[in-house]
């Protein structure tokens, strides 16, 4: 018997805690992962769950604009909601700022769309980058080096030198070898970069298991921090942890914060070297899902305050990705057709898993564009690709939903960044900001990418 999976499958396709690996290799029963599907009443009152969306005069509206004015109903459109991303960022800042000297550095690996990132930067957010490619993006967007936290393993010597000479705010170190390389580059440049040491403060779980390449055990991190603090070429500022994924449990976040506080206090007491920064990483659940589960980001701030409130001189850093970007895009899609199989009704959508990676059975809840009075029933939603993937199982929708198309929510994080030119057309992509829609990607853009990557010119076909 496969063990039932009740938590979310994680982004990398690994399985949640407590799930036997072998079970993941067998087909799972339908509809076994992810949060419960939205009820009809949750859908009809979607505004309560996801403020930019509402039903006006029998039609879905985005920020008060009827969908029919944003999308012509053909093909599909991934629509980013820049103002929602900003609101999500502000909600974190407003929750933590009363308790902490805090910086919010959004993890851009979840979303590279410049219209969304520039809105966040204008609102005061910093960024977290995980590679040289991402650093180049942040640089081109004009992010001030003082607002960049750099993670990721093993930078090239040229990249390390550039980061150091630009006085990038904080560089993360994840091994002795990285420390030595950074020291070498710093000595050559006669500069002293500010560094954090990456630690896994919580017991291993399935996401960051004992076999994960990332982070160090608290003992190893302590040793590495001693090396960094004793180095003439590095300035050890503190500890970095990113060990949560889709966390909707403030108590777990509180335990992470508490453990980080203990490590900081132990280190400072033993060595007399003050560490001013604790970076608690990202890993907080998509905002609307967190709130649906009965929590707010304020509960996370309160848990951190309880764990760390008595620590003087502390600068807190947070690196949210999914929380900021997850519900800041919707996928508007036509339905290509319907299929009945094994007693279940399937809606086959234009938008595909080449944009929306199937991370759980309920990753992208569909809303009807027109919530008609028709009888509502259960549908599975999937794309037409030759993969047994699905976008959402067990959705409650009006019987005639296929005629009007669907709006999939939760499409903002880890989607376009991982888009591939595989199997089926990508949707158009647009950013909505301040009521104005700007298209950033369309069929011509897709065909240009096909030509560049594969050498096939689709022009005129
Ligand atoms: C991916 C990542 C984040 C963001 O994670 P989310 O789960 O999207 O919040 C933050 N910090 C680091 C180091 C990461 O690798």
């Amino acid at each position: 018997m496969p063990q039932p999976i009740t938590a979310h499958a994680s982004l990398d396709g690994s399985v949640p805690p407590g799930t036997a690996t072998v079970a993941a290799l067998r087909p799972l029963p339908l509809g076994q992962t992810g949060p419960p599907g939205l009820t009809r009443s949750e859908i009809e009152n979607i505004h309560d769950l996801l403020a930019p969306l509402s039903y006006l005069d029998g039609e879905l509206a985005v920020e008060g604009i009827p969908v029919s004015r944003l999308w012509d109903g053909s093909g599909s459109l991934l629509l980013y909601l820049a103002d929602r991303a900003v609101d999500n960022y502000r909600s974190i800042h407003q929750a933590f700022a009363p308790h902490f000297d805090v910086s919010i550095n959004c993890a851009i690996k979840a979303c590279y769309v410049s219209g969304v990132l520039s809105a966040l930067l204008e609102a005061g957010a910093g960024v977290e980058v995980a590679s040289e490619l991402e650093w180049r993006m942040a640089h081109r967007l004009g992010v001030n080096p003082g607002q960049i936290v750099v993670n990721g393993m093993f930078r090239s010597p040229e990249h390390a030198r550039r980061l150091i000479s630009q006085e990038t705010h904080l560089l993360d170190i994840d091994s002795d070898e990285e420390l030595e390389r950074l020291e070498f580059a710093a000595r050559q440049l006669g500069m002293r970069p500010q560094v954090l040491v990456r630690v896994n403060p919580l017991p291993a779980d399935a996401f960051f298991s004992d076999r994960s390449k990332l982070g160090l055990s608290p003992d190893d991190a302590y040793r590495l921090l001693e090396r960094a603090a004793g180095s003439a070429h590095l300035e050890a500022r503190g500890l970095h942890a990113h060990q949560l994924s889709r966390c909707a449990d403030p108590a777990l976040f509180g335990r992470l914060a508490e453990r980080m506080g203990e490590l900081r206090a132990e280190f400072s007491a033993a060595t007399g070297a003050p560490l001013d920064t604790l970076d608690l990483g990202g890993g907080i659940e998509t905002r609307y899902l967190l709130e649906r589960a009965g929590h707010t980001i304020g509960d996370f701030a309160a848990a951190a305050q309880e764990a760390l409130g008595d620590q003087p001189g502390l600068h807190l850093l947070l690196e949210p990705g999914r929380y900021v970007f997850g519900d800041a895009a919707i996928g508007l899609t036509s339905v290509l057709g319907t299929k009945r199989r094994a007693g279940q009704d399937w809606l086959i959508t234009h938008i595909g898993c080449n944009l929306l990676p199937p991370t759980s059975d309920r990753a992208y809840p569909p809303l009807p564009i027109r919530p008609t009075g028709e009888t509502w029933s259960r549908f599975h939603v999937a794309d037409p690709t030759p993969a047994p993937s699905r976008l959402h199982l067990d959705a409650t929708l009006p019987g005639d939903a296929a005629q009007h198309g669907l709006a999939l929510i939760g499409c903002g994080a880890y989607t376009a960044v991982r888009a591939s030119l595989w199997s089926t057309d990508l949707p158009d992509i647009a950013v909505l900001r301040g009521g104005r829609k700007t298209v950033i990607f369309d069929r011509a853009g897709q065909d240009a990418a096909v030509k560049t990557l594969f050498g096939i010119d689709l022009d005129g076909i």
Side-chain angles (χ1 to χ4, degrees), residues 295-307:
H295 295 295
T296 65
I297 194 67
D299 300 335
F300 281 67
Q305 151 77 4
E306 193 164 318

Side-chain angles (χ1 to χ4, degrees), residues 87-96 99 104 247 250 253 284-285 287 290-291 294-304 318 320 323-324:
D87 194 59
N88 293 344
Y89 154 72
R90 289 210 172 108
S91 73
I92 308 188
H93 194 265
Q94 281 160 13
F96 281 82
H99 309 297
I104 317 288
C247 177
F253 183 75
I284 300 172
E285 180 59 289
R287 180 177 175 189
L290 182 67
E291 294 177 354
H295 295 295
T296 65
I297 194 67
D299 300 335
F300 281 67
L318 299 169
Y323 179 91
V324 168

Side-chain angles (χ1 to χ4, degrees), residues 105 107 109-110 128 130 151-152 198 207-208 214 240-242 244-246 279 281-284 319-323 413-414:
N105 286 60
K109 76 167 188 273
E128 184 263 353
N151 296 315
R198 181 158 179 173
F207 192 60
F208 283 113
L214 296 167
H240 169 222
H242 170 67
L244 303 175
S245 178
R246 295 177 176 270
D279 181 345
I284 300 172
E319 304 169 340
R322 192 179 297 279
Y323 179 91
Y414 305 106

Side-chain angles (χ1 to χ4, degrees), residues 366-384:
L367 306 177
I369 304 288
R370 293 185 178 277
T372 54
E374 280 248 351
T375 319
W376 289 41
S377 46
R378 234 161 53 121
F379 294 93
H380 298 321
V381 180
D383 69 15

Side-chain angles (χ1 to χ4, degrees), residues 171-211:
L171 307 179
D172 169 77
I173 307 182
D174 198 354
S175 68
D176 283 273
E177 191 175 320
E178 275 184 15
L179 180 140
E180 285 153 22
R181 290 197 197 178
L182 211 55
E183 263 190 319
F184 182 77
R187 195 175 62 214
Q188 278 187 328
L189 291 165
M191 298 190 65
R192 211 157 169 244
Q194 309 185 47
V195 300
L196 299 178
V197 167
R198 181 158 179 173
V199 61
N200 294 337
L202 294 174
D205 65 13
F207 192 60
F208 283 113
S209 71
D210 280 330
R211 297 169 70 188

Side-chain angles (χ1 to χ4, degrees), residues 173-369:
I173 307 182
D174 198 354
S175 68
D176 283 273
E177 191 175 320
E178 275 184 15
L179 180 140
E180 285 153 22
R181 290 197 197 178
L182 211 55
E183 263 190 319
F184 182 77
R187 195 175 62 214
Q188 278 187 328
L189 291 165
M191 298 190 65
R192 211 157 169 244
Q194 309 185 47
V195 300
L196 299 178
V197 167
R198 181 158 179 173
V199 61
N200 294 337
L202 294 174
D205 65 13
F207 192 60
F208 283 113
S209 71
D210 280 330
R211 297 169 70 188
S212 159
K213 69 191 176 197
L214 296 167
L216 295 164
S217 71
D219 286 348
D220 288 343
Y222 193 96
R223 260 194 328 95
L224 195 59
L225 199 53
E226 277 182 330
R227 276 191 80 179
S231 165
H233 308 288
L234 303 175
E235 188 179 338
R237 296 296 296 270
L239 289 160
H240 169 222
H242 170 67
Q243 215 185 338
L244 303 175
S245 178
R246 295 177 176 270
C247 177
D249 176 6
L252 180 59
F253 183 75
R255 282 204 290 288
L256 177 95
E258 185 178 17
R259 196 68 196 102
M260 292 288 274
E262 286 166 6
L263 292 170
R264 172 179 186 248
E266 275 167 39
F267 189 82
S268 299
T271 63
L275 295 176
D276 57 18
T277 300
L278 288 182
D279 181 345
L280 303 184
I284 300 172
E285 180 59 289
T286 304
R287 180 177 175 189
Y288 91 91
L289 285 175
L290 182 67
E291 294 177 354
R292 184 175 184 231
H295 295 295
T296 65
I297 194 67
D299 300 335
F300 281 67
Q305 151 77 4
E306 193 164 318
L308 296 168
D310 56 355
Q311 296 229 357
L314 174 63
H315 180 71
L316 201 66
L317 242 149
L318 299 169
E319 304 169 340
R322 192 179 297 279
Y323 179 91
V324 168
F325 300 107
D327 62 19
I330 59 171
L332 298 166
T333 181
S334 55
V335 174
L336 303 173
T338 62
K339 173 171 180 178
R340 193 164 172 81
R341 178 175 178 270
Q344 318 253 7
D345 287 310
W346 288 81
L347 303 180
I348 305 301
T349 58
H350 185 273
I351 204 164
C353 65
N354 55 347
L355 179 87
L356 302 175
T359 55
S360 90
D361 286 347
R362 300 203 184 87
Y364 312 104
L367 306 177
I369 304 288

Side-chain angles (χ1 to χ4, degrees), residues 67-155:
V67 159
S68 52
R69 282 187 33 215
L70 294 166
W71 173 56
D72 67 6
S74 66
S76 54
L77 172 71
L78 178 69
L79 184 65
Y80 281 92
L81 314 177
D83 300 326
R84 173 67 176 183
V86 168
D87 194 59
N88 293 344
Y89 154 72
R90 289 210 172 108
S91 73
I92 308 188
H93 194 265
Q94 281 160 13
F96 281 82
H99 309 297
F100 295 100
D101 170 25
V102 65
S103 307
I104 317 288
N105 286 60
C106 300
I108 69 165
K109 76 167 188 273
C111 172
Y112 299 143
V113 174
S114 79
V116 176
L117 294 179
S118 20
L120 286 164
L121 292 168
E122 284 166 33
V127 303
E128 184 263 353
V129 302
S131 65
E132 181 169 7
L133 176 64
E134 292 184 357
W135 177 86
R136 291 169 63 208
M137 293 187 201
H139 186 67
R140 188 38 55 90
L141 284 168
V143 190
N144 167 341
Q147 284 178 295
I148 305 183
V149 174
V150 185
N151 296 315
M153 304 179 87
F154 292 114
R155 303 154 189 125

